[in-house]
Structure formats: structure tokens, C-alpha cells
Amino acid sequence: GEIAEVQGIIPVSGSYEPGYQWSVNGVFVNEQDTFFNETYITSELRWPLMQDSTITLTTFSNGKISRESVFIEVYGIRSMKVEGRVEMGSSADLVCIIEGNVPPSEVFWYFNTEKHDPTFSHQSATTTKSVFSINNIEPSHFGHYTCVAGYPDRPSMFQRMPVVPLGSCALPQVFNGGFSSNFMSEGTTATVTCNPSYTAPEDHGTLSCKDGVLEGRTPVCVQVLRNTEDTSTALLVVLVACACVVMTCSVVLSFVIWYKKHNKVLKKLSDNAYPGKHYPAKSGAAERPKFGTDPSETPECDPENNICLTPHH
């Protein structure tokens, strides 16, 4: 699956421009980039390789044909197969063949999402064989098996294979959900169950099995998003109500404080305002009667609160 980049340099003699053509495993393909100058032509081919391939550049010049080829060996998993019978109570081996001049540094297996070491491995110069054995097969063994080849200096390669009874269908893995079983029998249906806060869109939750092939859209579980508009409105109402309560309480509290203070001052003045009682003048100052010569008519005042009370008989 990686892209092979091959460059060819074609000499130019005189004013005649040679012709050229690329091919991959005998099939003609188009180039991607070409550069010209007076002495040569540079042609580049970028091609994805899925197998070992021979890339050839054929040139036509002055009635002569010449070819230059390069062989590219592709590394990775060549094949994956089952040896034995997949039946209840029997045993079978899953065989993974990995080829390439660079052998993998490690090979391991997955059963659905569980990682396992291989039962047996053999590695030669260019081929690695990894075997995962299934003994005394029972329903819990059915599902997807994946062979993974890891490399220290390049991306890992993997290949997946379903292992189910003959005529049955392996059920896929679903993020944020799953099925009650790893497989389904011929002519039956299965519906995905999503985790809390997730749901399967319409027509994306049920599969059927026909002739060993799954039918239906790929199941998915998507997160359910809440409508925050109503929540925001309710929160705003609560905040406004709280603000009103706080303002009302502040007004009432201020009035209560003022009322108590006012009553206290009135009581103080009332206790001191009775006939025949007045306050003497300060030392060294002449007493100046108020409201005539009757001291009982002298008002009692509270300068701090700007309140005066005149006694009456």
C-alpha cells in the first residue's frame, strides 16, 4: 500500500526527442512528473504497490528500443488462512504468512479487542509464519481474529479474518456499543445495543445474515446531544428570581435597621423630656433659656441624628 517512487533519466542526442513509457508488472501506466533540458529527460513515477512488482521504463530513440527495470519487493502480510474445521468441539489453526526482506520484530494476535501471543512462530530470511491455535471450539471463540506484524522502523501491518461456523456471519466491532454475540446464524438478524448516552441512527442498527454475508448498513453508535436552550432559559429565570429575592431582603433589612434606630432615639429623647428637667450649661458659659423663661420648654435634641423633641404639659 505504500507509494514507490522511481526516477528514470533518458539521454537526449541532437534535436531528436526520444519517446518513453512506464509499466508496472507489464501494464502501461502514466508518469507523474517530467523535467527537460538540452541533454536529458528526467521522468518520475509514483505508484502504490500491493504486491511484489517489476517497474520498467521503455525508451524509443532513433529506431531503437531499450528497457530498464527495477524489482521492488513488498513487505507485509502475504496471506491469512484457517487450517482445520471450524466446528463445535473441534480445533483449528489460524496461519499468518509475512514476507519481506525485512522481517518483523514482533508478531501478535487480537481476538476482537483482546491481545494474544502466537501459539507458534517460525522466521526465516524472508518469510515469517505465525500460528494461533483454537482448541475445543465453542461459541465464545467465534469472532474476528487479527494478525499484526510490528516493525521497528516502519508502520505495522495487520490483516483481519472472521472465524464463525459455516454459513454464519461474524458481527463487526462497534465503538460505544456492541452485539449480544460475536456472530449470527443464516437467516437471522442482530441489533446493536449502544452504551448510555449513545444511540444508533435509523437504519444503522440492525444487520441480517444471508449466504454467509452480512446485509445492512454498518452499525454505529452516536452520542446524544442535549438541547441546552431550555436549560439556559430555566437557569436565567432562577438567577433573576434570586436577584429579586436578594434585593427585597436588602430593602427590608435596611428598613428594619432604620426603624429600630429611630425608635431608640425617640425613646431616649422621651425619657429626658419631662417638666422641670433641663441640662445645665457647660462650665464657664451662661445658660441661655430657650422658648421663654420656662426651663421645661427647653427642647431635648440629639445632634447625631438631627432630632429634637419639645416636651408638652
Side-chain angles (χ1 to χ4, degrees):
E2 294 187 6
I3 304 297
E5 297 184 1
V6 183
Q7 184 182 82
I9 299 177
I10 308 164
V12 176
S13 58
S15 61
Y16 180 78
E17 182 178 317
Y20 55 92
Q21 179 67 60
W22 289 96
S23 63
V24 178
N25 296 330
V27 179
F28 291 118
V29 296
N30 295 325
E31 63 185 347
Q32 273 69 45
D33 291 304
T34 302
F35 306 95
F36 297 90
N37 63 24
E38 297 178 354
T39 58
Y40 61 86
I41 300 173
T42 301
S43 179
E44 293 184 356
L45 175 69
R46 292 188 293 273
W47 195 259
L49 299 180
M50 304 303 297
Q51 59 183 347
D52 295 345
S53 301
T54 300
I55 299 178
T56 303
L57 176 62
T58 303
T59 59
F60 311 91
S61 179
N62 295 324
K64 296 181 180 180
I65 300 176
S66 61
R67 294 182 177 89
E68 292 290 339
S69 300
V70 60
F71 177 74
I72 300 178
E73 186 177 42
V74 178
Y75 79 94
I77 298 175
R78 171 70 66 184
S79 63
M80 189 174 175
K81 61 181 180 179
V82 178
E83 294 182 353
R85 304 183 65 178
V86 181
E87 296 178 351
M88 299 294 294
S90 63
S91 299
D93 291 333
L94 309 183
V95 181
C96 180
I97 303 298
I98 307 157
E99 293 185 353
N101 290 327
V102 179
S105 57
E106 62 174 344
V107 180
F108 50 91
W109 291 78
Y110 275 99
F111 170 55
N112 294 331
T113 58
E114 298 177 4
K115 184 178 180 180
H116 297 274
D117 293 326
T119 306
F120 168 80
S121 292
H122 175 73
Q123 192 172 76
S124 63
T126 60
T127 303
T128 300
K129 179 180 180 180
S130 180
V131 179
F132 186 79
S133 299
I134 308 175
N135 299 315
N136 191 22
I137 295 176
E138 55 186 38
S140 61
H141 290 135
F142 297 133
H144 291 272
Y145 289 82
T146 306
C147 175
V148 182
Y151 297 86
D153 58 347
R154 62 194 67 189
S156 299
M157 308 295 293
F158 70 92
Q159 188 168 327
R160 181 176 299 164
M161 178 176 62
V163 176
V164 294
L166 183 64
S168 300
C169 298
L171 291 170
Q173 300 295 304
V174 180
F175 287 110
N176 302 310
F179 296 91
S180 59
S181 175
N182 293 326
F183 72 99
M184 57 191 301
S185 302
E186 172 73 19
T188 61
T189 60
T191 301
V192 66
T193 300
C194 297
N195 296 339
S197 300
Y198 291 84
T199 185
E202 188 177 356
D203 299 333
H204 282 78
T206 302
L207 295 173
S208 60
C209 180
K210 183 178 180 180
D211 298 329
V213 179
L214 284 176
E215 293 186 343
R217 295 185 177 182
T218 303
V220 293
C221 289
V222 296
Q223 191 169 14
V224 179
L225 299 178
R226 294 182 177 180
N227 185 358
T228 59
E229 183 177 353
D230 295 339
T231 303
S232 300
T233 303
L235 181 61
L236 180 61
V237 172
V238 171
L239 292 177
V240 171
C242 291
C244 293
V245 171
V246 171
M247 293 178 62
T248 303
C249 291
S250 299
V251 172
V252 172
L253 181 61
S254 299
F255 176 77
V256 170
I257 293 175
W258 174 85
Y259 184 76
K260 287 184 176 180
K261 188 174 182 180
H262 182 72
N263 285 347
K264 182 178 179 180
V265 171
L266 292 179
K267 185 176 184 303
K268 176 181 177 183
L269 296 177
S270 177
D271 291 341
N272 293 328
Y274 57 89
K277 181 177 177 68
H278 63 89
Y279 289 99
K282 292 183 179 179
S283 177
E287 182 177 355
R288 292 159 49 171
K290 303 291 183 178
F291 301 97
T293 58
D294 188 356
S296 63
E297 296 181 357
T298 302
E300 298 292 337
C301 297
D302 183 358
E304 181 180 353
N305 295 280
N306 295 323
I307 298 176
C308 291
L309 181 64
T310 301
H312 296 277
H313 299 287

